[in-house]
Amino acid sequence: MTLISVGGLKKYFGAELIFQDINFQVARGEKAALVGVNGAGKSTLLKIVAGLETPDSGQVAMARGTRLAYLAQEVRFSGDRTLWQEMEAALSALSTLRDEIAALEPVIADTAAPGWAAAMDQYGELSAKYDHMGGYEVEPRIKRTLQGLGFHESQYDQRVAQFSGGQKTRAALAATLLSDPDMLLLDEPTNHLDMQALEWLEQFLRSWDGTLIVISHDRYFLDRVTKRTMEIAFGKLEDYPAPYQKYLELKAERMERRLKEFTTQQDFIAKTEDFIRRYGAGQRAAQAKGREKRLDRLKRDHAIERPQEQTKLRLFLDTQLRSGELVLALDNLVIGYPGDRSQESDPRVLLRANALEIHRGDRVALLGPNGAGKTTLIRTLIDELKPLQGQPRLGHKVQISYYAQGHDILNWNATVLQELTRVSPSLGESAARNLLGRFLFSGDDVFKRVGDLSGGERSRVALAQLTLLPGNLLVLDEPTNHLDIGAREALEGVLKEYPGSILFVSHDRYFIDALADKVWNVESGRVREYLGDYSDFVATRERNERRATSDERLSAAQPKPEPVKLQEAAAEGRLSLTNEERQRKKRLAALEAEVALLEQELEQLKAKLDQASVAQETKKVTALGKQYAELEQLLASKYAQWEQLAA
């Protein structure tokens, strides 16, 4: 069943045409992605579908009774309600339903009242609907949603007006999900979410049976949640019946086919025009005239346009400064904020890092939940904050180039051109303009004030500055924020070729997979190292969880000893023997389970090693080889323990 039908939409902003002839339908239960470069009109289209903007022509038709919820990029809360009150307000439909049920209760209490049977039927229908909508578990639903999106119980009674921008966005997302609509329209819902919240949202949307149209630059998220991709490009909409990765393949095939059709037609036109020129005045003039008429009709009615391709960000990063083998070492490092002596408050410790090293050429992803201290660690590394204990140790000839998450290093009152020449005074205006052109700033764009730019434009200015810095250790705090997918892919490509070392914070799991060969994850106030990319990190984490679960099950499955009288057991000399034997058997069973898990891990790792070897991914082969050797050593140790116990 079609839930929404969009036909012939056209939209202008002033004299600028944003898009035209937008046509699509979405069936009940479909989950579709809306993609395109920044400024293509994605958010505008979503607002038109939501009824918040009016198209210049065309219409949006929705199935009768459809309940729709829309989440904007920039959220605003009116009033002065607490977080919990906002969540209850999102369930207003349930409140209305509850009031209707309450109004019927006096009527059905009097069985002799006129219309009692009809009231009972209505009461039953409303009660069933209330139950189906989760009316009897409102509080658990609110708690599950808030906790899934990273809110703590201590924040439930806090006024939303006091929240940060990111917290407000998450609160709005929670309220939108709780409203339980038939159709969700989400504009960048993954912004401001850490890994745990992202994974929770993915699981929620995958299991939710409603209809979804979502705008996101998170490719990992799109692949896991959506099954259809609609792209807005050059004012038109292209529809692909596939998630993001498959859409890229289908798009490439479609572009290749259209380019071939265009080339074939251009060859035909060129040959026909040549025939007309050669024979237009000779014996074959009539034939040439006929061909000319047919060619005119072809150009007028059936001309194939050359397929257009988006202008891509042309990034480059290099360094002539070669560091020593050891780039950065963290030993007994404690970071946080010092206490206030005047108020006799203790220092606030955020995290501890010990025995961690970055070597030349390493690409290290720093992961962890929001508020865990990732940005504070980076600010400590670049000497903006002093550590509470220890000191980061930079290697020989190591120089840091830093990219700030909030673009803090930019002067918002300067022009784009001034910002570039500020970090490189020797760069002339002509060279600066040429460089900015590679970052999609052309013409008078270079004279725009930085404070007037969009988030994506400011990101491009900061990246342009980064190319002019001489460092050989890139420290990047959320470099993909505000970048569209094309810009992210360009950044991935140049960072893969960068000859120095990289430490970066990111919530873009696709970006991490493409770049990282090592993960530093913040866990319970400590930084723990994992070899490999994000997928390897997740696999290791899941193995550890399975192993812990297996140990718990083995422990629970051990038969409990029969009760024995202490005096009798002591007299027979059996007490110590029974305990010792039981412990030995328990340990043997646990070792057997560990050995089985390790053997399974080695098989999986071997398959990854083979794939990396075939693909000639030398860094990945090295990292996986080291992990394989460590697992083999651990397995040999477990075998030795088992043999000793079994003997």
Side-chain angles (χ1 to χ4, degrees), residues 331-348:
D331 292 303
N332 298 315
L333 183 69
V334 180
I335 69 159
Y337 297 96
D340 189 337
R341 290 184 179 180
S342 63
Q343 298 182 8
E344 298 182 354
S345 60
D346 295 328
R348 181 188 171 205

Side-chain angles (χ1 to χ4, degrees), residues 1-6 24-28 30 61-64 66:
M1 172 187 173
T2 299
L3 199 67
I4 188 167
S5 180
V6 173
F24 64 89
Q25 293 181 334
V26 180
R28 186 179 297 278
E30 264 197 298
M62 204 167 298
R64 184 176 296 176
T66 300

Side-chain angles (χ1 to χ4, degrees), residues 317-323 399 469-473 498-501:
L317 280 169
D318 199 1
T319 178
Q320 304 302 318
L321 185 62
R322 182 179 172 86
S323 70
Q399 190 169 337
L469 299 176
N472 50 18
L473 170 59
Y498 180 68
S501 309

